Amino acid sequence: MRSFTAEWVVPIHGEPIHHGFITVQDGRIAALSRRSDAGADPAAIDLGRAAIMPALVNTHTHLELSHLRGVIPPTGRFLDWIRAIMAMRREYPDPGDARIIDAAHSAIVEARSSGTGLIGDISNTLVTPQLLREARVPAQVFYELLGFNAGDPESMTREARAKADAAASPDGTVRVGLAPHAPYSVSPRLFAAIRADLDAHPGHVSSVHLGESPEEMEFIRRGTGPWRALLEELGVWTGAWEPPGTSPVEYLERLGFLDRRVLAVHGVQLAGDDLDRLRSLDMTVVACPRSNRYVGVDSPPLEAFYAMNVNVAFGTDSLASVQDLNLFSELAEARRIAPRVPARSLLESATLSGARALGFGDEYGSLEPDKRAHLISIRLPEDVSDVEEYLVGGIEPSAIAWLEPETPNAQLPTSKSRN
Ligand SMILES: [Zn+2]
């Protein structure tokens, strides 16, 4: 049994506890209270001026693109970025390339050292589940399928399912499911095949990039524009595909693909009716605001998401479109573009909402008795009057320490060692 006390304990599902106290037993949270309450362990490790909170959840990234950090410059035109990514994928044809593996491994270490404890990872090659297992980072990996003109979506999905099952960890710590890439790169039949797989696996979740760019909106509504040009260039355009004439959300809803187990990633272009649909389906939008700016699609309407009561989680997206995997930096960008959203709501999005959306809500994302003790401590400066607001202002990794699970060589920032 180990106990910690600090100036603040931030449980996420309730008010921050001033002079809080938390006890951990066998890797799970045993108790949580004010320090003055009866039962507080006098032998508790005192962290002093710090906030204890659950590890953050990065609900959307692509670890296997980590070797592209800083390679593709920010752009004002989304299709330029897409073309650059496609060219880079051709330059690294071997998914087991040591440069890819090393960069993905470093990215996992970096994410963890910036306080992230659970990851939603998109993979086209399935090299990441093994890396996540080795690093002991719980994760939901989405094996992403593309095919605007796929010949046999059913057998493609069957084969993908077999690979996904083989890559998952037997103890359920690293799960692997199937996910379609986006409405403009996946055929209706492939969507149906992936949906059938999801229906056959009731505990699983899926994910789709949705409403990211204006080019996507134009293509789904009218079948025209830069996406059409790219599909033709790639030789996969087919006249059998009829433009739905709707928004991407309405299109996928009509296909029967959407429900609460499908994460809608980005949502930059969504408003009004689409947000209503997502809310009534109890879906989660995963916002990646720093990446959105980087790839030239503007910022997501975060205040509208919260005002419409849509579930919101946060992701960094890949290192090909963001400077680092520090989810606290994502929170700072969220605060910048959504100044009226309460800090507590932003923090909940970065923890509990992400954990729930990934199917890990019973174990992670908040400090509650019996949940896993995935605890981080944030060093606070003097005179923090609103700890929740402080935590969404951008936190550097140097101020972050893991308390549980303990890591070898980790230095606990006790009040004594700071004197
Ligand atoms: Zn993505």
Side-chain angles (χ1 to χ4, degrees):
M1 188 177 88
R2 296 214 305 164
S3 299
F4 304 94
T5 175
E7 183 168 352
W8 289 101
V9 171
V10 182
I12 299 300
H13 68 293
E15 293 277 328
I17 305 169
H18 197 212
H19 298 302
F21 170 87
I22 185 164
T23 300
V24 174
Q25 191 153 27
D26 301 328
R28 292 190 182 264
I29 296 166
L32 188 73
S33 67
R34 283 180 63 89
R35 190 159 54 197
S36 54
D37 290 350
D41 178 2
I45 297 167
D46 185 3
L47 302 171
R49 210 184 302 128
I52 298 172
M53 65 179 293
L56 303 191
V57 181
N58 187 346
T59 309
H60 182 80
T61 185
H62 303 241
L63 293 166
E64 70 192 19
L65 297 181
S66 299
H67 61 294
L68 300 181
R69 181 182 220 153
V71 171
I72 303 169
T75 172
R77 291 201 312 177
F78 186 57
L79 263 287
D80 290 351
W81 193 83
I82 290 286
R83 285 172 188 275
I85 274 280
M86 289 171 55
M88 279 299 149
R89 284 206 186 259
R90 287 193 293 272
E91 273 196 35
Y92 291 83
D94 172 14
D97 189 316
R99 293 168 294 180
I100 295 178
I101 302 299
D102 291 351
H105 172 75
S106 301
I108 294 168
V109 172
E110 176 188 321
R112 199 174 187 283
S113 67
S114 55
T116 291
L118 173 63
I119 294 179
D121 179 51
I122 305 278
S123 176
N124 298 97
T125 62
L126 285 185
V127 296
T128 51
Q130 180 65 23
L131 298 173
L132 288 157
R133 287 167 66 168
E134 285 165 10
R136 296 173 187 276
V137 173
Q140 169 65 53
V141 177
F142 299 101
Y143 186 20
E144 183 178 76
L145 304 181
L146 289 101
F148 188 75
N149 201 351
D152 187 354
E154 293 77 19
S155 58
M156 182 179 176
T157 302
R158 250 193 327 275
E159 283 164 30
R161 162 54 57 189
K163 287 186 195 166
D165 286 347
S169 67
D171 66 359
T173 309
V174 175
R175 305 172 186 171
V176 186
L178 307 186
H181 172 251
Y184 50 78
S185 55
V186 170
S187 69
R189 256 181 74 194
L190 182 52
F191 269 113
I194 297 172
R195 182 67 228 187
D197 175 81
L198 190 59
D199 290 337
H201 297 84
H204 287 214
V205 293
S206 187
S207 160
V208 62
H209 296 89
L210 196 58
E212 183 174 12
S213 66
E215 290 87 346
E216 171 185 343
M217 305 304 276
E218 178 186 356
F219 180 70
I220 300 301
R221 195 162 293 279
R222 290 191 288 275
T224 55
W227 270 117
R228 166 73 173 267
L230 182 61
L231 292 173
E232 286 181 354
E233 201 180 303
L234 294 171
V236 295
W237 165 256
T238 163
W241 187 83
E242 291 198 17
T246 63
S247 76
V249 175
E250 197 178 344
Y251 169 46
L252 294 196
E253 191 186 26
R254 283 188 192 172
L255 287 182
F257 186 74
L258 301 181
D259 70 2
R260 62 189 305 281
R261 291 194 287 141
V262 177
L263 283 64
V265 178
H266 295 309
V268 181
Q269 312 298 328
L270 306 185
D273 290 352
D274 283 336
L275 296 181
D276 253 342
R277 282 191 183 90
L278 298 184
R279 190 226 355 243
S280 60
L281 290 164
D282 195 21
M283 287 176 62
T284 299
V285 175
V286 186
C288 310
R290 289 187 302 164
S291 168
N292 295 150
R293 276 218 296 167
Y294 195 104
V295 304
V297 298
D298 213 342
S299 295
L302 266 189
E303 293 198 333
F305 293 168
Y306 288 96
M308 300 280 283
N309 281 318
V310 176
N311 304 318
V312 181
F314 289 116
T316 57
D317 218 329
S318 81
L319 283 171
S321 63
V322 77
Q323 301 85 334
D324 58 57
L325 297 188
N326 183 354
L327 204 75
F328 281 107
S329 303
E330 212 62 48
L331 274 172
E333 174 67 1
R335 166 48 86 222
R336 190 186 73 77
I337 63 175
R340 286 173 296 194
V341 175
R344 185 172 303 170
S345 302
L346 296 176
L347 285 174
E348 183 175 356
S349 290
T351 52
L352 189 55
S353 302
R356 281 188 181 139
L358 293 173
F360 286 83
D362 292 343
E363 297 272 52
Y364 298 102
S366 60
L367 306 184
E368 295 176 74
D370 295 331
K371 277 200 173 183
R372 301 246 190 194
H374 245 207
L375 307 180
I376 57 172
S377 148
I378 312 299
R379 200 170 61 240
L380 301 175
E382 274 182 70
D383 304 326
V384 171
S385 57
D386 183 337
V387 67
E388 292 170 308
E389 196 59 49
Y390 181 79
L391 292 172
V392 300
I395 305 288
E396 292 300 319
S398 59
I400 302 167
W402 275 82
L403 304 179
E404 291 273 350
E406 280 184 283
T407 40
N409 310 319
Q411 284 287 321
L412 274 186
T414 63
S415 50
K416 247 184 221 155
S417 66
R418 286 213 320 278
N419 288 337

